[in-house]
Amino acid sequence: MRALPRPARMVLPSLKLPELIQEIRGAKTQAQEREVIQKECAHIRAAFREGDAPQRHRQLAKLLYVHMLGYPAHFGQMECLKLIASPRFTDKRVGYLGAMLLLDERQDAHLLITNSIKNDLSQGTQPVQGLALCTLSTMGSAEMCRDLANEVERLLLRPSPYIRKKAVLAAVHMIRKVPELSDIFLPPCTQLLRERHHGILIGTITLITELCERSPAALPHFRQVVPQLVQILRILVMSGYSAEHSVAGISDPFLQVKILRLLRILGRNHEESSEAMNDMLAQVATNTDTSRNAGNAVLYETVLTIVDIPSASGLRVLAVNILGRFLLNSDKNIRYVALTSLLQLVQSDHSAVQRHRPTVVECLKDPDASLSRRALELSLALVNSSNIRSMTQELQGFLESCPADLRADCASGILLAAERFAPTKRWHIDTIMQVLTTAGAHVRDDAVANLTQLIGGAEELHAYSVCQLYNALAADISQQPLVQVAAWCIGEYGDLLLSGSCEEAEPLQVQEEEVLTLLEKVLQSHLSLPATRGYALTALMKLSTRIQGDNNRIRQIVSIYGSCLDIELQQRAVEYNALFRKYDHMRPAILEKMPLVEHGGPQDDEAGEGKEEPWNPNRESQSPTKTPTANLLDLLDLLNGASGDAQPPPALDLTPGGSLLHLLDLPSTTPSLAPIPGLKVFDREGLQINLSFVRPPEIPALLLITATASNTSKSDVTHFVCQAAVPKSFQLQLQIPSGDTVPAQGGPPITQVLRVLNPNKAPLRMRLKLTYNHFGQSVQEIFEVKDFPPDTWQ
Amino acid sequence: MIQAILVFNNHGKPRLVRFYQRFPEEIQQQIVRETFHLVLKRDDNICNFLEGGSLIGGSDYKLIYRHYATLYFVFCVDSSESELGILDLIQVFVETLDKCFENVCELDLIFHMDKVHYILQEVVMGGMVLETNMNEIVAQIEAQNKLEKSEGGLSAAPARAVSAVKNINLPEIPRNINIGDINIKVPNLSQFV
C-alpha cells in the first residue's frame, strides 16, 4: 500500500494545551513568549483551515488561553460557530465559551449563532440548554433577544429547576436589551415566587427588581406581592440551620439581601407597603447574628431599607444606631459601608448622625485611605456652630497628615466651615492662617482675598494679625497664599507692627530694617510667584509712609525694579518711582490705609473710620476679578471712539493730574440718601441686574450707583464680571465687586459700586458689558442703559 | 450588576478574565493592568473596597477584592450589588473551586482555565448571581464533566489515564508548601504521565 504523502504543512507537530501552557511559562522574556505564541497561532490557523473536526475544540481552547494573555484571537470566531453547531457536548462547551469571550454584537458574525441557540434551546439536553441560555445572557444582542424571547418564555415552565433558574436570569438580560419584552416576562413572576428552589427565587427577585426599576408602572403590580416576600424572608430568618444554603450560620444571606433590596424599592414612598414590612424589618434587625460578614451583610441591607422607606421613627433611630455600632466594628469593610450610608443619611437624620460624631472623627485617623476619605466627607457634613472649635482642631490635625489627594478637599472644607460657623473673628483669622501654613498650596484662589477682607474688617485685630503674619512669614516664605496675605498686611499695618503694640499676643520688637529685609527677600526669592512679588513691592511702597527712618532703601529697590523683566512688576515700579519723584506730595495720601472692601451687602458705614478714599493703585491687586485694560478700551470704542477719559481701574493715569486730584477729594462715607428710584437694567434667564442711585449732597457732581446682580434661576452664575463705560464728559470709577458668583435660587447677590462724576450735568448714558457662566455656558452681554432717572444727573 | 471578574497573581499575570460588558481587547488588557496596580498598593489589613479605576466605568463602579495566597480575586460591581454580599460571593466561588479541584492552587487555574470558566458560569451568569449553593454547583459540574468524558471515545484515553493516576494514592505531597514568606508550588504530577 502506498502511504499517502502527508501535506508539508502538517509536518511540524502542534502542541497540546498543557504543553503550550508549559512552554509559555518557560519563556524567560516577553519576546520569547510572543514567539512561542505566534508559532502556535500559525498552527492553529492552519488547523482551522484544514477543517479538522475532532481536534477543533482543542485548537480553540488553546486560542482562548492566549487570548486571555492578551494576544489577538479574532480568527477563531468562525470556529466558534462551527463548534456550537456540532452535536457533541464537548464541542459545544468550548464553542459557546469562545462565543462569549470572542464575539460581540458589534460584529455581524454574532447573529449567525442565533439559529444554533434556538435549536439548542428547544431540542438540546439540559446541559446544552444551560450553555445556550448562558451565552444568550452574556452577549445576546437586541435582535437575538427578540428572536429568542419565545423560546426562553417556554423554558420558564419546564420542570427542571436548573433550566428555570437560568431562563429567569436570561430574561433579565433580555429585558435590559429590549424593554418591550417586559410584557412577556412580567406575568410569570408571581407564579415563580411560589417556588421553593432558591436559585429560581434569586433569579425571580432579580427579574422583579429589574422590572420595577425600569418602569414605575410595574410597581403597583408588584406591591401586591409584598406579603409574599415578607413570608419568604420570615421562613429564611426563622428556619433552623440548613446546611444547604447556610453561609456562616445565616440561611442563604444572598437571597435575604435580594429580598430586602426589593422591599426597599417597593416600600419607597408607599405607606401601606412599608407598614406591611415594618415588623419583619425590626425582627431581622434585632435577631441577626452579626459575628460574621454574612450576618452583617443582611443587617446592613435591612438598615438601608429602613431608612429609605417611610418607617416608624423608632425603627429609624434603631437603624442609625446600628450604623453607629458598625462604625466601632473592627472589620474595616463594615466601617466603610457604615460611613457610606451615614453620609447619605446626614441630611435627613442629622441629629441622629451627630450622636456618632466622635466615632466618625476617630475614623479620620485610620491609615486606610478609603476610610479616611469617607470619614472626611462625613466630618465636614457634621460641623455645626456648637462643635466648630473641636471639629476644626481635629480636621487641622488630619490636614497635616492626610494623603495628598485629600488635602485640597480638606483645606477648602475647613475654610468653608470656618466661614459659616466662626465663633470669633480672631479664631477665624487664626484658623485660616493655620490652614494656609499647613496646606497653602492646595487652597482655592479666593482664600487670599477672603482673608485680607476679613482682616481688614476686624480693626481691633489689625495689630494681632500683622504680628502673627510677620512671624509666619519670617519662618517660611514658600507658601504663596500666606506670603501674599502677610505682605499685604505688613504693608497696610506696618506702623502697628513696628510700634510693637499688640495686646492679644506677646509684644514683638521688630526693627524697620528687619521688615524691609524680609520683604526684599520675598521679592527676590525664586519661590515667589509674580503675583506675590507684586504684593511685596506694593507693601514696601506703603511702608515708605509708615516707617520713621528715611526711604532710601525703598527708593533703591523701587528704582531697581523699574527695569525688571516682568511687565507687571516693572509697571508698578515705574509708577512708584514717579510717586517718589514728581508726586511726592501726594504720596502719603495715596498710600493711606485702605477702606474696608465691600463684601456682600451694599455700602456699609465707613463713617467710623473717617479715612480718605485715595485713588489707590493697590486695590486692583486684591480684586478677584481683574478687568484687563484692553477689554475696556473695546467698550469705549463702542461709545464712538472715546478713549482715555473713562478711567479703567488698573492703570494709574498719572498724566492728567487734574482728574486725580478730583477723586482724591472725595469722601468715602455714605451720606444721607435722597431717594432716587432704582432701575432694572438686565434680566435674562433668572439673572437680574438692578441699579440703585445715591447723590451725596456735599458733592453735586457725584453719583453713586450700586449694581446688584441677583439670581432666581436653578443654576449658579459664576465668573461674573461687570464692566462699564460712560461718555467723554463723565468720569467713572468702578469699585471692587463683592464677589463673582451668584448662587442659584436667590442666593446672596453680587454688588458693585460705580462712582460717576458728572460735572457738566449732562444726561447720563452708560454702556454695560457682562460676562459670566450660566447653565454651563459662557455668556457675554453688552447693552446700553439710557433712561436713567433725571435726578441722577440733573 | 457585575461588570467583570478578574483573577490574577501577585505579579499581575492574568489567570481568569471575564467581562460581562463588551470592551475591545486592548482596553480589557489595560483594565487588568490598571486593576492590578490599584490592588497591589493595598495592605492586607485595610478594607477590601476600592473605588474603581478610570477605565472601567466611572463613579458608580467599585472594585471588591480578596487576596488568597498568591491570587487576587477581583469583582468589579456597580451600586446595585451589596458590597458585603459580594465578599461572601467571592468566598463561595473560591470554595467551589476548592471542591471541584480538590485543594485548588494557582496551577490548577493555570492549566484548567476553561474548567474554571465553566464553574464560574454556574455561579454568575450575564453579570448576575445565579446560584450560591455549592452542592448544586458541584453536582452540575460533575454531571457535565461526565458527559464530556463519555463522548470522548479514543481521544478520552489519555484523559482516563490521567484520572486513573490522579486516583492513585501518592504519598502525601502537599500542593502548596508555605514556609513563612516562601510559597513553593509542587506541580501536578499527573501531567507527566
Side-chain angles (χ1 to χ4, degrees):
Chain A
M1 280 217 276
R2 210 168 37 119
L4 287 162
R6 300 186 83 194
R9 295 183 287 252
M10 294 283 273
V11 168
L12 301 161
S14 157
L15 300 168
K16 292 217 184 64
L17 176 59
E19 294 160 2
L20 171 64
I21 298 179
Q22 284 284 45
E23 269 218 32
I24 294 176
R25 282 163 65 74
K28 302 253 183 331
T29 64
Q30 186 80 333
Q32 232 181 342
E33 178 184 291
R34 242 199 316 269
E35 220 185 282
V36 169
I37 291 181
Q38 271 170 359
K39 225 175 25 167
E40 193 53 38
C41 283
H43 283 302
I44 298 176
R45 275 185 149 105
F48 285 160
R49 268 198 303 271
E50 293 286 304
D52 174 15
Q55 295 302 315
R56 195 179 281 138
H57 71 277
R58 288 194 208 281
Q59 306 293 3
L60 188 63
K62 281 190 281 185
L63 191 56
L64 292 179
Y65 184 81
V66 304
H67 173 255
M68 177 180 75
L69 293 179
Y71 294 89
H74 46 273
F75 54 88
Q77 284 169 4
M78 292 311 282
E79 305 305 312
C80 297
L81 302 178
K82 292 184 199 158
L83 283 168
I84 292 172
S86 150
R88 289 178 0 125
F89 178 70
T90 318
D91 288 342
K92 281 191 197 283
R93 219 182 187 191
V94 184
Y96 274 121
L97 181 61
M100 285 188 267
L101 294 177
L102 298 180
L103 287 179
D104 79 87
E105 56 187 60
R106 277 172 292 187
Q107 290 141 1
D108 293 327
H110 84 280
L111 285 169
L112 298 170
I113 66 172
T114 313
N115 231 5
S116 298
I117 296 187
K118 196 177 228 167
N119 289 335
D120 284 337
L121 284 179
S122 44
Q123 293 155 10
T125 58
Q126 209 179 255
V128 168
Q129 286 173 320
L131 285 175
L133 285 167
C134 184
T135 309
L136 180 56
S137 71
T138 304
M139 46 77 69
S141 65
E143 297 94 44
M144 286 169 71
C145 292
R146 267 191 217 105
D147 282 341
L148 300 165
N150 288 326
E151 309 294 335
V152 175
E153 191 196 353
R154 264 201 287 275
L155 290 174
L156 284 175
L157 308 167
R158 283 302 190 84
S160 151
Y162 177 71
I163 292 302
R164 270 187 296 173
K165 82 180 179 197
K166 287 206 167 183
V168 170
L169 223 48
V172 180
H173 173 87
M174 296 167 87
I175 290 175
R176 286 197 184 131
K177 286 285 179 184
V178 185
E180 298 84 53
L181 292 176
S182 314
D183 300 331
I184 306 186
F185 291 116
L186 193 144
C189 286
T190 329
Q191 175 69 27
L192 286 166
L193 268 185
R194 301 205 190 98
E195 297 282 344
R196 317 210 63 191
H197 188 271
H198 284 216
I200 302 183
L201 281 175
I202 284 192
T204 308
I205 308 251
T206 312
L207 180 56
I208 299 178
T209 310
E210 184 71 26
L211 286 166
C212 290
E213 277 175 347
R214 236 152 231 290
S215 112
L219 283 171
H221 176 94
F222 286 116
R223 288 207 177 103
Q224 296 162 5
V225 303
V226 165
Q228 226 175 327
L229 293 169
V230 170
Q231 181 63 14
I232 301 176
L233 194 54
R234 180 170 294 129
I235 296 178
L236 286 173
V237 170
M238 301 311 224
S239 70
Y241 178 76
S242 139
E244 288 249 306
H245 295 110
S246 153
V247 175
I250 310 276
S251 264
D252 207 340
F254 299 99
L255 183 55
Q256 288 194 38
V257 163
K258 285 239 176 244
I259 295 178
L260 287 164
R261 202 172 269 257
L262 180 56
L263 286 176
R264 181 152 86 234
I265 296 175
L266 294 174
R268 210 177 266 155
N269 297 328
H270 197 249
E271 291 278 345
E272 210 187 303
S273 305
S274 312
E275 257 170 80
M277 48 178 101
N278 257 326
D279 286 339
M280 195 62 231
L281 291 174
Q283 208 166 12
V284 177
T286 39
N287 285 347
T288 310
D289 169 24
T290 55
S291 53
R292 302 283 296 278
N293 186 59
N296 285 318
V298 172
L299 192 55
Y300 178 62
E301 206 66 37
T302 314
V303 165
L304 289 182
T305 304
I306 292 176
V307 297
D308 212 10
I309 62 177
S311 43
S313 66
L315 203 52
R316 287 182 88 89
V317 171
L318 174 65
V320 176
N321 287 343
I322 292 178
L323 285 179
R325 250 190 8 241
F326 274 174
L327 275 185
L328 297 165
N329 198 309
S330 53
D331 184 341
K332 300 279 168 93
N333 297 323
I334 303 209
R335 281 203 258 173
Y336 176 89
V337 296
L339 284 172
T340 314
S341 339
L342 283 174
L343 193 56
Q344 287 162 357
L345 284 180
V346 77
Q347 302 296 341
S348 52
D349 296 77
H350 191 91
S351 47
V353 181
Q354 274 285 359
R355 243 175 270 137
H356 301 284
R357 188 170 52 83
T359 328
V360 174
V361 168
E362 277 302 307
C363 289
L364 274 178
K365 305 197 183 96
D366 203 299
D368 181 345
S370 306
L371 279 185
S372 53
R373 175 189 293 275
R374 299 272 150 159
L376 176 64
E377 285 171 25
L378 191 51
S379 304
L380 287 172
L382 285 176
V383 174
N384 63 22
S385 45
S386 45
N387 58 33
I388 177 75
R389 282 185 194 260
S390 50
M391 284 298 277
T392 309
Q393 222 175 344
E394 297 282 350
L395 289 168
Q396 298 263 23
F398 178 64
L399 186 61
E400 276 162 29
S401 56
C402 76
D405 46 348
L406 289 178
R407 285 218 151 163
D409 292 328
C410 189
S412 37
I414 298 178
L415 291 178
L416 264 164
E419 212 172 292
R420 285 175 67 192
F421 300 115
T424 64
K425 283 203 173 163
R426 174 172 159 181
W427 180 92
H428 195 178
I429 292 176
D430 280 340
T431 307
I432 302 188
M433 269 190 60
Q434 204 176 347
V435 171
L436 287 181
T437 323
T438 328
H442 298 269
V443 296
R444 274 188 7 223
D445 296 333
D446 60 358
V448 173
N450 282 342
L451 183 55
T452 54
Q453 202 265 333
L454 190 62
I455 294 178
E459 193 191 342
E460 66 281 9
L461 290 170
H462 284 168
Y464 171 77
S465 313
V466 74
C467 289
Q468 295 292 92
L469 283 167
Y470 178 78
N471 283 335
L473 189 60
D476 175 14
I477 62 166
S478 63
Q479 299 273 28
Q480 294 303 297
L482 190 64
V483 172
Q484 289 174 2
V485 177
W488 183 85
C489 267
I490 294 177
E492 274 293 295
Y493 310 119
D495 48 340
L496 294 172
L497 173 66
L498 291 167
S499 69
S501 60
C502 177
E503 306 109 30
E504 306 238 10
E506 282 174 28
L508 194 60
Q509 289 302 346
V510 180
Q511 302 299 329
E512 291 173 4
E513 288 303 312
E514 288 175 347
V515 179
L516 294 180
T517 312
L518 186 58
L519 284 175
E520 220 183 317
K521 192 167 143 197
V522 170
L523 203 48
Q524 289 166 349
S525 163
H526 65 278
L527 294 166
S528 302
L529 294 174
T532 313
R533 297 163 92 193
Y535 274 92
L537 189 60
T538 308
L540 273 170
M541 195 59 199
K542 288 192 208 171
L543 281 180
S544 70
T545 54
R546 314 264 200 272
I547 60 177
Q548 259 77 17
D550 65 27
N551 292 330
N552 284 333
R553 192 165 166 190
I554 299 182
R555 284 176 192 256
Q556 253 185 338
I557 298 174
V558 163
S559 67
I560 290 175
Y561 275 85
S563 45
C564 172
L565 284 177
D566 182 315
I567 300 285
E568 172 74 33
L569 227 45
Q570 190 190 97
Q571 176 177 351
R572 286 177 193 239
V574 165
E575 290 167 5
Y576 296 157
N577 240 337
L579 210 50
F580 268 127
R581 287 200 242 109
K582 278 170 61 182
Y583 295 95
D584 203 35
H585 55 285
M586 280 203 254
R587 191 162 45 86
I590 291 182
L591 297 173
E592 271 259 352
K593 289 221 176 96
M594 280 177 59
L596 177 60
V597 173
E598 280 118 16
H599 194 271
Q603 311 176 33
D604 32 4
D605 59 320
E606 302 166 23
E609 302 194 72
K611 295 200 180 75
E612 279 209 6
E613 183 187 299
W615 174 233
N616 198 328
N618 300 325
R619 185 168 295 143
E620 277 53 57
S621 63
Q622 261 60 279
S623 161
T625 55
K626 214 173 156 95
T627 34
T629 320
N631 287 358
L632 242 121
L633 285 177
D634 285 345
L635 211 60
L636 296 172
D637 284 340
L638 298 167
L639 284 175
N640 314 321
S643 63
D645 267 357
Q647 310 230 342
L652 175 59
D653 202 356
L654 282 173
T655 37
S659 56
L660 204 59
L661 271 172
H662 229 124
L663 288 172
L664 284 175
D665 291 336
L666 304 174
S668 62
T669 55
T670 312
S672 54
L673 302 166
I676 307 176
L679 191 62
K680 177 154 103 164
V681 297
F682 181 74
D683 190 348
R684 180 180 147 166
E685 291 176 344
L687 177 65
Q688 285 181 2
I689 315 278
N690 286 306
L691 300 181
S692 62
F693 306 101
V694 169
R695 296 278 301 270
E698 307 85 66
I699 305 163
L702 174 65
L703 170 67
L704 298 169
I705 308 178
T706 304
T708 309
S710 56
N711 182 4
T712 52
S713 73
K714 290 205 173 61
S715 163
D716 294 356
V717 168
T718 58
H719 302 92
F720 180 82
V721 174
C722 169
Q723 295 164 325
V726 290
K728 261 198 229 187
S729 57
F730 294 81
Q731 281 162 13
L732 174 66
Q733 179 193 337
L734 282 143
Q735 295 194 353
I736 305 172
S738 62
D740 69 348
T741 302
V742 194
Q745 314 275 35
I750 299 174
T751 53
Q752 185 167 18
V753 172
L754 296 81
R755 302 172 71 103
V756 179
L757 256 188
N758 182 6
N760 303 336
K761 291 200 187 293
L764 179 59
R765 278 161 50 212
M766 187 184 288
R767 197 160 274 235
L768 286 175
K769 176 174 172 188
L770 309 172
T771 51
Y772 58 92
N773 289 349
H774 198 198
F775 293 112
Q777 289 176 323
S778 62
V779 180
Q780 183 179 295
E781 292 271 340
I782 303 176
F783 53 91
E784 194 173 315
V785 185
K786 278 196 258 247
D787 34 358
F788 285 95
D791 282 350
T792 56
W793 48 270
Q794 271 171 353
Chain B
M1 187 182 138
I2 302 174
Q3 275 276 60
I5 296 180
L6 307 172
V7 180
F8 42 76
N9 71 359
N10 290 345
H11 303 289
K13 274 251 162 216
R15 296 301 175 213
L16 181 79
V17 171
R18 192 65 184 255
F19 282 89
Y20 293 101
Q21 261 215 10
R22 189 62 200 174
F23 293 101
E25 257 79 13
E26 316 83 55
I27 306 289
Q28 283 187 9
Q29 287 298 312
Q30 245 181 301
I31 291 174
V32 173
R33 274 196 297 274
E34 187 187 68
T35 310
F36 169 62
H37 282 123
L38 282 172
V39 154
L40 191 64
K41 281 193 233 156
R42 312 276 289 176
D43 281 334
D44 273 332
N45 58 347
I46 59 183
C47 73
N48 299 88
F49 308 122
L50 260 178
E51 259 75 62
S54 51
L55 282 177
I56 201 164
S59 53
D60 195 25
Y61 292 98
K62 282 203 193 67
L63 294 172
I64 302 180
Y65 70 95
R66 286 189 95 146
H67 193 184
Y68 294 88
T70 59
L71 291 173
Y72 285 98
F73 284 74
V74 184
F75 278 44
C76 177
V77 304
D78 69 9
S79 54
S80 71
E81 298 289 335
S82 154
E83 292 107 334
L84 299 175
I86 293 288
L87 281 180
D88 278 329
L89 187 65
I90 300 181
Q91 181 69 16
V92 165
F93 178 45
V94 172
E95 278 182 36
T96 312
L97 286 177
D98 200 44
K99 276 216 174 84
C100 293
F101 282 107
E102 277 147 55
N103 290 326
V104 68
C105 69
E106 190 180 341
L107 282 180
D108 289 316
L109 275 90
I110 298 173
F111 283 95
H112 301 286
M113 180 200 93
D114 48 347
K115 301 238 173 0
V116 178
H117 270 286
Y118 302 143
I119 297 173
L120 182 60
Q121 270 164 210
E122 298 300 324
V123 182
V124 174
M125 192 174 96
M128 295 168 280
V129 176
L130 173 66
E131 179 65 68
T132 57
N133 181 340
M134 267 187 279
N135 296 334
E136 282 236 11
I137 302 170
V138 173
Q140 258 303 314
I141 293 291
E142 280 176 2
Q144 289 174 13
N145 288 344
K146 249 205 281 226
L147 188 52
E148 203 174 304
K149 281 198 193 104
S150 68
E151 271 183 358
L154 263 178
S155 55
R160 282 201 280 263
V162 164
S163 58
V165 171
K166 223 177 177 180
N167 289 331
I168 295 176
N169 233 336
L170 291 169
E172 285 303 289
I173 300 181
R175 288 285 189 87
N176 241 321
I177 304 178
N178 279 321
I179 307 170
D181 285 0
I182 309 172
N183 222 331
I184 305 174
K185 285 279 169 332
V186 179
N188 192 342
L189 290 177
S190 55
Q191 295 292 339
F192 296 108
V193 171

